[in-house]
């Protein structure tokens, strides 16, 4: 493979605190400090004037629906959507069919990743058998099979005792636990945030207290066991506050926020559009602002999309009957740039950090930096390009996105994995 | 002002003028209903489909009768006989109904937002006959019509809605209509069934029956569902009755000329004493009769009729 020479980019690598106009050199799929004169002559040159070159983005929360629900997404289509969004490493959730609660299923997923994925995809395993919350899954064997974390995402472990044992047991393998924080007894039949909007619309509400209680539980368990617990897609102001205080005390907890929770509120549900139905639900403006502030002061560690594909016919239903979840990979960067950089005045390198180094660190992925010798996973994007997102023309198998037809600013131009171009100018290579 | 709406989905979206137009049209139809021949040819040759995906006898009968008084043909589909129980989607069912050349669809559905969803799919008018805990616009219209008959203008009048507000589509539609008409609305009931969020809709929320009922000119009771007890919204029907049931003593706190309303069906002895339900302050049966005229008005206007031409339709 010839060397690669990305020229005239604004290179932003938060891990090495680099933010400068200049060049990036890639030899043998790795970041190089420079190239020999001979290599420079032969290198494929890419003029990146006006573009940002940053580490390939990292998403620690996606649903690729394989095995079992491949009509919604496959590892192949999901990885393409990821590449189109500038992502080079993603962590996929275990709520497949069957769920990923055995080494055999993990092997099946890994085989498909090897065969079909154009980016790096890392599997997670379940905390409990069948994600039923009753008995521990074979966590050690899952780790040996290659999972990077365990989670019952979507089916929060309700038993405090079982969660405590899971945390203790996983700590032995240095395996992070990720938790979708939801007290099920408080959210039976709930389809949106409980509040003024659910009252108006006559829809069953999901009170943020149901999230806050489990976040508190997890803070207590992390304190008690000394183990690390990662809180998925935080949606409430109170949860942010609980995490802020826990972190100030040095408790080993981390948390993520999604682009949709920082961009949208439950007001968007006024027309019962199921492309705004997700779990945890969109909340109020107060919550939205609190999550942004949580990202600003480091209470929330990273951004993650919770990319959750569903087919049109599954979403095309009465609001109560439609499944939760929206696409996220192809719009995450543009939406976050809009909300965090343009509206909330975050520094661009800080936002990139949330999508790269900080995300990778939570589950110890070898990703998220452009240090010499690191794999040349790179995202090249134009922060100013305006484009209209057509979810139907996207790379995901599904098109359930609240941003369908919306004009976004900031567009991924090229995505490299190990120095190979996997996505360029709207096409998968 | 001409009537321009094709669908009736919510009272939240109607203007005061539109509510008045429906009421005025209902008044004209009510006169017709008092004659020996109670039928007008306004919707002759039109087919109306009653799609009731959630059980209801009263509302369905009232729509049925209203459509027949307008000379329309009516086809009724209920939850049990409809194909949605066989796994067909609501979209498929609705598109089939439209393909059969129906002229209008009346829908009752347990899921909030379904009539709006249908109105976005279909070209024919969609009338909401109750969607989940969202709205029941014709009930709100007939309730306010009945109040106007007794009180005249509702401006500044004190109206109390008592009971399970949280799950009540009747309450929501009435709140939207009453606040537009200038009434002072107070919601009362246990805190679990009357959450504070409702104040955002421009009404008062109270958990103190005595002060809420004091001098009220209308008290509207809502049916208490037994299921709410098992879901922990209140301890027992007995406890509910002892705290919030309307009895003779409590009714004496009302304005002497106050009327008592209930959308039915009534749990006698639970939310209201039988004696009061049948007493001379009760207008419960008038609500039922007015339901026909009001629904005739809605069907007539949404299928293209104009308020001022009602009398000339026969
Ligand atoms: Zn998820």
């Amino acid at each position: 493979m010839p060397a690669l020479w990305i020229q005239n980019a604004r290179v932003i690598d938060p891990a090495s605190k680099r933010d400068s106009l200049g060049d990036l050199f890639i030899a043998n799929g790795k970041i190089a400090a420079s190239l020999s004169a001979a290599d420079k002559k032969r290198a494929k040159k890419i003029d990146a004037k006006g573009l940002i070159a940053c580490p390939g983005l990292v998403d620690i929360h996606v649903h690729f629906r394989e095995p079992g629900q491949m009509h919604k997404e496959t590892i192949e289509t999901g990885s393409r959507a990821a590449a189109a969004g500038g992502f080079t490493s993603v962590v996929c959730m275990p709520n497949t069919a069957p769920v990923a609660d055995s080494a055999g299923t993990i092997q099946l997923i890994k085989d498909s990743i090897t065969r079909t994925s154009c980016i790096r995809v890392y599997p997670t395993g379940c905390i409990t058998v069948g994600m039923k919350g009753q008995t521990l899954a074979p966590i050690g064997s899952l780790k040996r099979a290659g999972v990077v974390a365990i989670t019952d995402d979507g089916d929060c472990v309700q038993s405090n005792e079982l969660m405590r044992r899971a945390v203790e047991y996983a700590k032995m393998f240095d395996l992070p636990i990720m938790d979708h924080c939801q007290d099920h007894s408080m959210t039976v039949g709930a389809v949106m945030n409980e509040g003024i909007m659910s009252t108006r619309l006559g829809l069953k509400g999901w009170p943020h207290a149901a999230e806050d209680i489990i976040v508190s539980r997890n803070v207590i368990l992390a304190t008690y066991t000394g183990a690390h617990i990662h809180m998925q897609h935080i949606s409430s102001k109170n949860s942010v506050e609980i995490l802020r205080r826990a972190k100030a005390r040095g408790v080993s907890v981390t948390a993520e926020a999604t682009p949709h929770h920082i961009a949208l509120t439950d007001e968007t549900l006024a027309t019962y559009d199921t492309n705004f139905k997700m779990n945890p639900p969109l909340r109020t403006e107060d919550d939205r602002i609190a999550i942004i502030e949580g990202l600003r002061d480091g209470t929330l560690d990273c951004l993650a999309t919770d990319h959750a594909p569903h087919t049109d016919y599954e979403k095309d239903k009465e609001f109560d009957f439609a499944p939760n979840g929206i696409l996220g990979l192809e719009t995450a960067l543009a939406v976050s740039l809009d909300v965090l950089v343009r509206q909330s005045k975050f520094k661009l390198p800080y936002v990139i950090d949330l999508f790269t180094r900080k995300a990778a660190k939570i589950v110890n992925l070898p990703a998220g930096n452009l240090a010499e010798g690191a794999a040349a996973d790179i995202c090249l994007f134009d922060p100013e390009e305006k484009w209209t997102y057509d979810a139907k023309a996207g790379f995901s198998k599904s098109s359930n996105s609240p941003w369908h037809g919306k004009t976004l600013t900031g567009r991924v131009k090229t995505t490299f994995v190990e120095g190979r171009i996997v996505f360029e100018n709207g096409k998968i290579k | 002002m001409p009537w321009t709406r094709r669908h009736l989905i919510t009272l939240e979206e109607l203007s005061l003028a539109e509510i008045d137009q429906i009421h005025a049209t209902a008044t004209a139809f009510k006169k017709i209903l008092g004659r020996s021949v109670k039928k007008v040819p306004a919707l002759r040759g039109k087919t109306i489909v009653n799609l009731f995906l959630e059980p209801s006898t009263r509302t369905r009968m009232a729509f049925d009768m209203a459509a027949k008084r307008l000379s329309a043909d009516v086809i009724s589909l209920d939850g049990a006989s409809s194909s949605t129980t066989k796994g067909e989607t609501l979209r498929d069912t609705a598109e089939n109904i439209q393909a059969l050349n129906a002229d209008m669809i009346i829908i009752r559905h347990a899921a909030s937002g379904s009539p709006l969803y249908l109105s976005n799919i279909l070209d024919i008018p969609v009338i909401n006959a109750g969607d989940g805990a969202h709205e029941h616009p014709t009930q709100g219209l007939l309730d306010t019509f009945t109040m106007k008959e007794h009180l005249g203008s509702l401006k500044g009048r004190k109206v109390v809605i008592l009971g399970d507000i949280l799950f009540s589509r009747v309450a929501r539609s009435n709140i939207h209509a009453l606040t537009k008409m200038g009434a002072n609305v107070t919601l009362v009931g246990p805190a679990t069934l009357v959450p504070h969020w409702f104040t955002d809709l421009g009404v008062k929320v109270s958990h103190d029956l005595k002060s809420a009922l004091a001098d009220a000119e209308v008290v509207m009771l809502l049916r208490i569902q037994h299921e709410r007890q098992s879901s922990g919204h209140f301890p027992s029907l007995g406890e509910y009755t002892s705290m919030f049931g309307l009895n003779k003593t409590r009714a004496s706190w009302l304005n002497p000329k106050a009327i008592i309303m209930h959308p039915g069906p009534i749990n006698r002895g639970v939310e209201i004493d039988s004696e009061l339900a049948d007493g001379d302050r009760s207008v419960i049966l008038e609500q039922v009769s007015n339901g026909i005229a009001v629904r005739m008005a809605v069907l007539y206007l949404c299928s293209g009729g104009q308020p001022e031409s009602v009398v000339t339709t026969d």
Side-chain angles (χ1 to χ4, degrees), chain B residues 18 56 89 94 106 109 144 148 156 158 206 234 275 285 292:
Chain B
E18 286 172 313
S56 150
T89 64
I106 297 164
H109 199 305
T144 45
K148 264 162 79 177
K158 182 172 180 186
S206 166
F234 58 85
E275 197 185 344
L285 291 174
I292 309 290

Side-chain angles (χ1 to χ4, degrees), chain A residues 61-63 93 95 153-154 180 232-233 256 279 306-308:
Chain A
H61 191 154
V62 303
H63 297 266
M93 294 296 114
N95 62 337
D153 176 40
H180 163 127
Q232 298 175 294
H233 40 47
E256 71 197 31
N279 187 13
D306 193 9
H307 179 81

Side-chain angles (χ1 to χ4, degrees), chain B residues 11 19-31 33 137-154 173-174 177-178 181 218 220 259 261 283 286-295 297-298:
Chain B
L11 293 191
I19 292 171
D20 286 341
Q21 276 185 305
I22 295 171
H23 283 157
T25 310
T27 306
F29 280 127
K30 193 171 176 177
K31 283 193 194 113
L33 290 175
T138 55
Q139 182 74 40
L141 289 164
L142 77 89
D143 288 339
T144 45
F145 182 85
T146 308
M147 287 181 219
K148 264 162 79 177
E149 281 190 329
H150 284 267
L151 277 68
S153 164
L154 299 186
S173 282
N174 270 289
L178 287 166
M181 295 166 82
V218 179
M220 179 184 297
I259 55 170
M261 307 182 77
V283 299
E286 287 174 42
Q287 288 172 266
V288 177
S289 313
N290 285 338
I292 309 290
V294 164
R295 289 184 174 107
V298 167

Side-chain angles (χ1 to χ4, degrees), chain A residues 194-196 198-204 270-272 313 315-321, chain B residues 12 89-91 109-114 116-117 131 133-134 167 172 197-198 200-201:
Chain A
E194 177 174 291
I196 288 161
S198 66
T199 302
R200 244 187 76 198
L201 296 173
L203 291 171
K204 184 84 191 335
T271 58
Y272 298 88
Y313 63 84
K315 276 285 194 184
D316 183 17
K317 286 206 174 111
E318 298 91 317
F319 196 86
D320 281 343
F321 304 157
Chain B
E12 185 174 13
T89 64
L90 181 56
R91 172 185 284 272
H109 199 305
S112 299
S114 317
L116 180 65
Y117 169 77
D131 61 329
H134 180 219
F167 295 93
R172 282 174 182 72
W197 312 109
F198 276 97
D200 197 59
L201 299 181

Side-chain angles (χ1 to χ4, degrees), chain A residues 17-293:
Chain A
K17 302 213 164 20
R18 178 174 176 188
D19 180 2
S20 57
L21 280 178
D23 298 351
L24 262 184
F25 301 105
I26 295 116
N28 302 316
K30 292 190 164 47
I31 304 288
S34 66
L35 298 174
S36 67
D39 277 347
K40 275 190 176 171
K41 203 166 282 174
R42 266 177 295 150
K44 178 179 163 69
K45 297 174 190 69
I46 293 172
D47 183 14
K49 195 160 184 289
L51 304 183
I52 311 275
C54 69
L57 309 185
V58 176
D59 189 345
I60 61 169
H61 191 154
V62 303
H63 297 266
F64 280 176
R65 311 298 187 199
E66 184 176 345
Q69 294 188 301
M70 290 161 73
H71 57 292
K72 298 176 195 259
E73 193 82 289
T74 62
I75 287 167
E76 181 174 17
T77 59
S79 76
R80 288 169 171 229
F87 291 89
T88 55
S89 295
V90 302
V91 173
C92 59
M93 294 296 114
N95 62 337
T96 46
V99 296
D101 64 354
S102 72
T105 305
I106 298 300
Q107 193 53 53
L108 188 76
I109 293 169
K110 281 174 64 184
D111 287 348
S112 177
I113 291 169
T114 309
R115 273 184 294 109
T116 67
S117 176
C118 64
I119 59 150
R120 300 172 203 275
V121 178
Y122 298 93
T124 55
C126 303
I127 299 172
T128 67
V129 173
M131 288 181 42
K132 288 186 168 33
Q134 284 158 0
T135 46
L136 291 182
I139 294 168
S141 312
L142 290 171
K143 163 89 182 192
R144 199 181 294 148
V147 304
V148 296
I150 51 169
T151 175
D152 277 1
D153 176 40
D155 286 287
C156 173
V157 176
Q158 298 297 292
S159 159
N160 300 330
E161 164 63 7
L162 193 64
M163 188 64 175
R164 174 237 166 127
R165 297 304 176 194
V167 170
E168 279 181 342
Y169 192 83
K171 184 174 194 271
M172 193 165 59
F173 307 105
D174 202 19
L175 194 59
I177 284 204
M178 311 205 285
D179 199 20
H180 163 127
C181 303
Q182 178 179 7
D183 181 322
H184 291 166
S185 71
M186 296 178 76
T187 60
V188 177
V191 295
M192 70 172 292
N193 179 48
E194 177 174 291
I196 288 161
M197 281 305 287
S198 66
T199 302
R200 244 187 76 198
L201 296 173
L203 291 171
K204 184 84 191 335
W206 190 139
H208 66 73
E211 175 174 302
D212 307 339
I213 284 167
I214 299 294
V215 169
S216 311
R217 185 264 314 253
N218 289 346
V219 166
I220 290 165
L221 291 179
T223 310
Y224 190 70
T225 61
H228 170 217
I229 303 179
H230 173 74
M231 259 59 89
Q232 298 175 294
H233 40 47
I234 288 300
S235 69
S236 104
K237 179 181 178 174
N238 259 4
S239 293
V240 174
E241 188 48 38
I242 292 162
L243 289 166
R244 182 173 287 129
R245 281 189 251 152
K247 282 191 159 184
R249 293 202 314 275
V251 182
S252 177
V253 286
T254 53
E256 71 197 31
T258 72
H260 49 270
H261 287 112
I262 60 171
L264 307 168
T265 68
D266 60 356
E267 305 245 338
T268 54
L269 290 167
T271 58
Y272 298 88
D273 184 340
T274 59
N275 281 322
F276 293 86
K277 182 178 176 183
M278 57 213 49
N279 187 13
L282 296 173
R283 300 208 188 269
T284 66
E285 182 65 6
D286 264 7
D287 296 300
R288 187 182 81 86
I289 297 297
I291 294 165
I292 293 171
E293 292 315 308

